[in-house]
Amino acid sequence: MTGSVPQPIRVLVVEDDPVAADAHVMYVGRVPGFVAVGKAHTGAEARRFLDRTPVDLLLLDLHLPDVHGLQLARSLRAAGHQADVIAVTSARDLAVVREGVSLGVVQYVLKPFTFATLRDRLVRYAEFHAAVGEASGQDEVDRALASLRAPSPAALPKGLSGPTLERVTGVLREASQGLTAAGVAEAVGISRITARRYLEHLVEAGRAGRSPLYGQVGRPELVYRWAPQGR
């Protein structure tokens, strides 16, 4: 007898930065068992979408132009929406983390993040989501919760380090204009090639953009800029 095919987990991406929103939709679509059913750039758009479309999971940026993400989560709970939340934020305030637990926030992803980081969170969420029925005992309850909370190694590409990424991120974020890889390299104290690897990583993560700088002899140099909502 053939078993039923599990339905994909339906995800709504809520992110006001269009570049990041498109990247997050693409990331979700690359994880088996998940489907991005839509995206919203404001809290109001998210509420309207949820009123007409069933969703299992919100990939929710906390800093929206019209409402804080946790306020949105609270209002959705009050309105009867039961979708779980993976919060996306650049803030590292643990008080915000504690507040989110009671509002259905099952995971936090700190910006900037890679596809591998989000994939890890989604896979863990899928394990938690698949746990249905009555637990046989404490061990089974613990295992279901551990699928969300178990630690995982840093998901940076090989050769990249967290401290250097933070320094590159800080330099780019505070720059009033775009920077070249050479400019970032000089500011951080690394080689131009290394700086470009970190900058390309930020572009892939949807936290930076790049554009060619024309007007020079030879191949145009790339200029990198922090994404508008990367702060």
Side-chain angles (χ1 to χ4, degrees):
M1 180 176 169
T2 303
S4 60
V5 178
Q7 293 297 312
I9 295 172
R10 298 158 298 189
V11 182
L12 173 63
V13 172
V14 186
E15 164 66 63
D16 66 327
D17 178 358
V19 174
D22 288 343
H24 298 170
V25 167
M26 179 185 67
Y27 285 174
V28 170
R30 290 170 60 185
V31 181
F34 288 83
V35 59
V37 295
K39 59 185 176 181
H41 299 304
T42 66
E45 285 183 17
R47 281 189 287 265
R48 288 195 296 270
F49 188 95
L50 289 166
D51 284 341
R52 66 177 186 268
T53 306
V55 168
D56 301 304
L57 178 67
L58 299 180
L59 188 59
L60 175 62
D61 181 63
L62 294 187
H63 295 285
L64 299 172
D66 58 340
V67 64
H68 190 276
L70 291 185
Q71 293 176 341
L72 174 63
R74 185 178 294 107
S75 68
L76 292 175
R77 280 290 180 270
H81 295 291
Q82 297 301 315
D84 292 320
V85 176
I86 293 181
V88 177
T89 179
S90 57
R92 288 164 170 76
D93 186 349
L94 291 179
V96 173
V97 174
R98 289 194 296 271
E99 183 181 357
V101 170
S102 64
L103 300 174
V105 177
V106 295
Q107 290 276 13
Y108 279 84
V109 182
L110 292 179
K111 296 178 179 179
F113 60 86
T114 63
F115 165 67
T117 297
L118 181 61
R119 178 184 59 199
D120 174 76
R121 300 303 189 277
L122 291 178
V123 168
R124 292 184 184 281
Y125 173 77
E127 295 174 2
F128 174 76
H129 185 77
V132 296
E134 185 174 349
S136 60
Q138 183 68 51
D139 288 347
E140 191 168 341
V141 173
D142 291 342
R143 280 196 299 272
L145 294 175
S147 65
L148 288 174
R149 307 304 177 194
S152 59
L156 286 175
K158 185 177 180 181
L160 302 190
S161 73
T164 302
L165 178 61
E166 288 189 6
R167 287 156 58 202
V168 171
T169 297
V171 167
L172 192 62
R173 184 168 51 193
E174 298 305 321
S176 58
Q177 298 179 338
L179 292 174
T180 64
V184 172
E186 181 178 356
V188 177
I190 55 180
S191 72
R192 180 179 177 277
I193 293 176
T194 299
R196 183 163 184 173
R197 288 191 63 201
Y198 282 94
L199 290 167
E200 289 295 325
H201 167 72
L202 290 174
V203 171
E204 180 185 351
R207 305 317 307 152
R210 61 171 178 256
S211 59
L213 176 64
Y214 294 101
Q216 300 179 355
V217 177
R219 178 187 298 179
E221 194 165 7
L222 292 175
V223 174
Y224 297 84
R225 291 178 175 82
W226 188 245
Q229 297 304 318
R231 293 180 182 272

